Amino acid sequence: GRRTSRNETHAPCIICSGTDATEGGGAAGTAVAPPTLVVVAVEPSPTNFALLEQHAEEGGWREEGFVALQAALSNESGEALLAVNESFAIDEIATLLFTEDDPRQRKPVQVMTLNGVVEAASAALSGRIDMGSGIFLLKLDIEGLEPAVLGSLNSVGVAVKFVTFEYAANVWREGLEGVIQGLLTMGYFCFLITAERLFPISGPFWDPAFVVPMWSNVFCGQEDDPDLEALVQLHIGAVGLWPVLHHTYLAGYATAGVDGEGEDADIAATPQSLGEAQDRCNDLGEACAGVTCECIGDIGCRNGAPGGV
């Protein structure tokens, strides 16, 4: 089975606030590769928090740099009432922003700021969090309080590298456009998350169509952070971490010295440029994971070295 190990030093902090924190994601770490991150889950609902604690106990998450805080996240600290539905296995719509005619039960809850969360996590781990390293990823799904927390990023005493949050038109009391503009003023460039790509929505890229979906998810990073560009490229598959496999090809798709079979015989037997190979890969869709170039035989490499392309 999996082995875990206590780690005396922890690096940047990831804060996951909302119902996704209860669904069993855990922090990674083994005895041979101890954790280098701290994951802090902020969950206000009593039933959700009990389930979160159960997952943490069963998975041994606390041995891997995990801290759970029963609290709500906002831009001001204090106490408030939370509207909850205790009949739900996971209450995904518990909120501080309820109306007077809301029939749900009210539960008192502690409210924390980002500074308070980081301080509480550091105390729980005996000061082993490097406060100067900041928050690597802030993930928000907090039923309408996202604008308040996002608006406080400039005033908190800890740097936040990446932010992802849910936009829910039915519970937000502020418009998405104003929030995106405010984040850009703070230096964050944002993207609408889709399965295929990240669509830029900040500054000149904004379009009113972005508020048409009732629910959507947004990802933001510091505009001058080179890691933001790298992440966007990774998401669309323009770059990857896969290794080069020399002299390894899909049958029928090597460019030279292969006869090929069926409808691909002429393509397989004809040398192709990189652009041609990429176009062919696009035509194949999911059947092609990418293309590679290599010197083969005596045809001659593109740079003039012995071999072929």
Side-chain angles (χ1 to χ4, degrees):
R2 185 180 64 182
R3 295 181 298 162
T4 60
S5 173
R6 282 188 174 87
N7 184 23
E8 296 303 323
T9 59
H10 290 84
C13 178
I14 295 178
I15 295 179
C16 175
S17 177
T19 55
D20 283 342
T22 68
E23 294 180 358
T30 66
V32 295
T36 57
L37 296 175
V38 174
V39 176
V40 184
V42 184
E43 175 55 64
S45 163
T47 54
N48 288 358
F49 188 78
L51 183 58
L52 177 64
E53 291 276 83
Q54 178 184 335
H55 285 309
E57 181 66 25
E58 293 173 350
W61 297 353
R62 290 182 181 83
E63 305 294 341
E64 305 178 277
F66 174 79
V67 176
L69 301 174
Q70 186 173 1
L73 188 63
S74 187
N75 60 329
E76 296 181 355
S77 59
E79 294 184 353
L81 292 177
L82 181 74
V84 300
N85 192 324
E86 294 186 323
S87 64
F88 291 174
I90 298 179
D91 190 352
E92 299 188 29
I93 55 174
T95 182
L96 300 181
L97 301 179
F98 55 84
T99 58
E100 291 298 325
D101 59 349
D102 193 318
R104 289 177 291 177
Q105 292 178 287
R106 313 289 196 263
K107 294 286 186 180
V109 64
Q110 180 184 6
V111 182
M112 305 179 73
T113 63
L114 281 178
N115 280 341
V117 169
V118 175
E119 290 169 0
S122 181
L125 294 168
S126 303
R128 295 197 300 262
I129 295 179
D130 179 6
M131 300 289 285
S133 64
I135 298 170
F136 182 80
L137 172 65
L138 174 65
K139 182 178 182 298
L140 301 173
D141 179 4
I142 47 179
E143 297 305 307
L145 280 172
E146 290 87 353
V149 175
L150 294 170
S152 71
L153 293 182
N154 249 7
S155 59
V156 298
V158 58
V160 180
K161 184 178 179 71
F162 294 123
V163 181
T164 180
F165 62 90
E166 181 188 62
Y167 167 67
N170 60 325
V171 295
W172 274 37
R173 296 181 179 179
E174 298 182 35
L176 179 61
E177 181 179 6
V179 171
I180 298 301
Q181 289 177 344
L183 286 167
L184 184 61
T185 300
M186 290 185 270
Y188 288 94
F189 194 91
C190 297
F191 299 82
L192 185 69
I193 301 172
T194 72
E196 292 77 23
R197 58 172 293 187
L198 299 175
F199 286 91
I201 61 175
S202 293
F205 296 96
W206 174 260
D207 190 285
F210 295 137
V211 299
V212 172
M214 179 70 73
W215 297 281
S216 59
N217 289 280
V218 177
F219 181 86
C220 309
Q222 291 286 346
E223 193 171 16
D224 58 355
D225 185 353
D227 290 342
L228 178 62
E229 181 180 356
L231 188 146
V232 173
Q233 295 297 312
L234 282 168
H235 186 81
I236 65 173
V239 295
L241 304 177
W242 48 84
V244 175
L245 301 177
H246 294 286
H247 306 296
T248 303
Y249 307 95
L250 293 177
Y253 293 103
T255 58
V258 176
D259 295 332
E261 296 179 0
E263 63 179 6
D264 295 318
D266 56 335
I267 296 173
T270 305
Q272 302 172 60
S273 68
L274 176 60
E276 291 169 338
Q278 289 173 328
D279 289 341
R280 175 61 177 157
C281 187
N282 289 334
D283 291 341
L284 291 171
E286 294 183 357
C288 178
V291 300
T292 184
C293 296
E294 187 174 329
C295 296
I296 305 172
D298 299 322
I299 300 177
C301 289
R302 183 173 298 172
N303 63 3
V309 180

